[in-house]
Amino acid sequence: MKLLICVILCLIFLALLRLLSVPWLCSLLAWLGVLVLWMGSWGNIYIAICTIKRDLMCLAAIVKVKLAMYRNLRNKRTIPALFAQKVQQHPDKHALIFEATGEVWSFKELQERCNAVAHWALAQGWAEGDVVALYMENHPLVVALWLGLAMVGVEAAFINYNLRQQPLLHCVGVSGARAMVFGAEMTKAVSEVAGSLQPGMVLFCTGDEKNKEELCSFQAQSLEALLTRSPTHPPNYKLKKDFNDRLFYIYTSGTTGMPKAAIVVHSRYFRIAAFGFHSFGLRPEDIIYNCLPLYHSA
């Protein structure tokens, strides 16, 4: 009963503030203050005072992300378009640092590799909504592949590189992939299922291709050779997708059965990244270390 009375009184108080043309943010803070004073003990009030800076920072992050989401939705922006804006702002800044080899790609270099991937995808005859499975260990090329495919509306399906045989076939099959790009380190795993893949599945291998005879046995093409011949300028293509359309697929862990594909749309990807950026107070000069597999949603 006390809670009900409190809520009614707070709503009346909030309505009076709005009638007096008090800004909505000030009204909200005043309403929260009344709620705390009515419901809470002095201990709770002390905690609220101590945490108000954090809470205001969270509120500011929410407002910033909401406004950015609204602008991107209104302007029908996509992740490739937002990435192109960052390339213009920071062309020579490090975009990816591959700790294993010391390899560094600038934003401009990453964009050129994405452009090559986009031209390659168009040359394959793939259309918006087609799916390409990515089955490889961590490497900067993974980013160039999914982002370059997204430039022309093709969707990547991130396959867990620990999967073998039936779980691997299941994940590739449920995605409806027309092709699979796999790392040379996954050659043996692919050879075990090559004969059971969907008819018409095209295979591309990337990396140090040591087992050329095995690759030839299931007609895998060299992706490096194809990308080397691809132009690095932006493709002459106008993306039809918008902010709420599909970007790529990730998979559940499969602990309760076979892994299930989850759709990630452009807006969801942006929201996750933007909340992380604003909530943790990140700055453009900061570096994020990712110790997780790139097939993971992180």
Side-chain angles (χ1 to χ4, degrees):
M1 180 60 70
K2 182 181 178 182
L3 177 61
L4 179 60
I5 294 172
C6 177
V7 170
I8 293 172
L9 290 176
C10 286
L11 289 174
I12 294 171
F13 179 68
L14 186 60
L16 288 172
L17 289 174
R18 295 302 297 146
L19 285 173
L20 295 172
S21 299
V22 178
W24 72 269
L25 183 58
C26 295
S27 301
L28 179 62
L29 292 175
W31 178 75
L32 289 173
V34 171
L35 183 64
V36 170
L37 288 171
W38 183 275
M39 291 297 297
S41 63
W42 286 110
N44 290 337
I45 294 171
Y46 175 74
I47 292 171
I49 293 171
C50 291
T51 59
I52 191 166
K53 181 180 178 181
R54 179 206 64 187
D55 295 339
L56 288 175
M57 287 177 62
C58 290
L59 180 61
I62 292 170
V63 171
K64 288 177 182 177
V65 174
K66 287 284 187 183
L67 289 174
M69 294 281 289
Y70 172 75
R71 288 194 300 268
N72 292 333
L73 182 61
R74 182 187 61 191
N75 296 319
K76 297 184 177 181
R77 293 187 180 125
T78 59
I79 294 302
L82 293 169
F83 173 69
Q85 291 179 358
K86 291 301 172 189
V87 175
Q88 289 182 339
Q89 295 170 5
H90 313 283
D92 301 318
K93 184 179 182 294
H94 292 350
L96 297 172
I97 302 170
F98 190 32
E99 192 274 337
T101 62
E103 193 173 354
V104 177
W105 291 10
S106 69
F107 275 88
K108 184 179 179 181
E109 289 170 332
L110 175 56
Q111 186 183 48
E112 289 175 346
R113 286 172 168 85
C114 291
N115 290 339
V117 170
H119 281 285
W120 161 68
L122 291 173
Q124 297 299 316
W126 298 329
E128 292 196 24
D130 284 339
V131 179
V132 174
L134 304 183
Y135 182 57
M136 52 198 295
E137 294 183 359
N138 281 9
H139 190 277
L141 182 61
V142 176
V143 181
L145 281 167
W146 76 255
L147 188 51
L149 290 170
M151 286 180 173
V152 292
V154 178
E155 300 149 15
F158 293 101
I159 310 297
N160 181 338
Y161 56 68
N162 295 297
L163 297 180
R164 299 292 186 273
Q165 297 181 351
Q166 193 56 43
L168 172 58
L169 283 171
H170 167 79
C171 287
V172 176
V174 296
S175 71
R178 295 189 59 180
M180 179 197 289
V181 176
F182 65 93
E185 68 280 0
M186 312 308 300
T187 300
K188 186 175 187 303
V190 175
S191 67
E192 293 172 351
V193 300
S196 302
L197 292 169
Q198 300 95 310
M201 172 74 69
V202 187
L203 299 175
F204 301 90
C205 182
T206 178
D208 188 9
E209 302 169 8
K210 294 178 181 178
N211 304 319
K212 292 188 180 294
E213 290 185 7
E214 193 168 10
L215 291 172
C216 291
S217 68
F218 51 85
Q219 299 179 326
Q221 302 177 50
S222 171
L223 182 62
E224 266 79 8
L226 294 168
L227 292 182
T228 301
R229 297 196 294 268
S230 286
T232 57
H233 59 76
N236 183 21
Y237 184 85
K238 183 173 176 57
L239 189 62
K240 301 179 184 67
K241 291 189 175 186
D242 59 30
F243 200 48
N244 281 330
D245 284 322
R246 289 193 301 267
L247 178 60
F248 53 64
Y249 297 88
I250 58 172
Y251 288 82
T252 61
S253 61
T255 53
T256 58
M258 288 292 185
K260 301 170 185 65
I263 298 171
V264 176
V265 297
H266 291 254
S267 56
R268 180 184 175 193
Y269 180 94
F270 175 85
R271 185 171 61 249
I272 293 170
F275 267 125
F277 182 83
H278 293 297
S279 299
F280 293 110
L282 298 178
R283 297 162 299 181
E285 61 269 24
D286 288 332
I287 298 173
I288 297 177
Y289 179 73
N290 178 28
C291 58
L292 294 169
L294 290 179
Y295 65 76
H296 193 281
S297 59

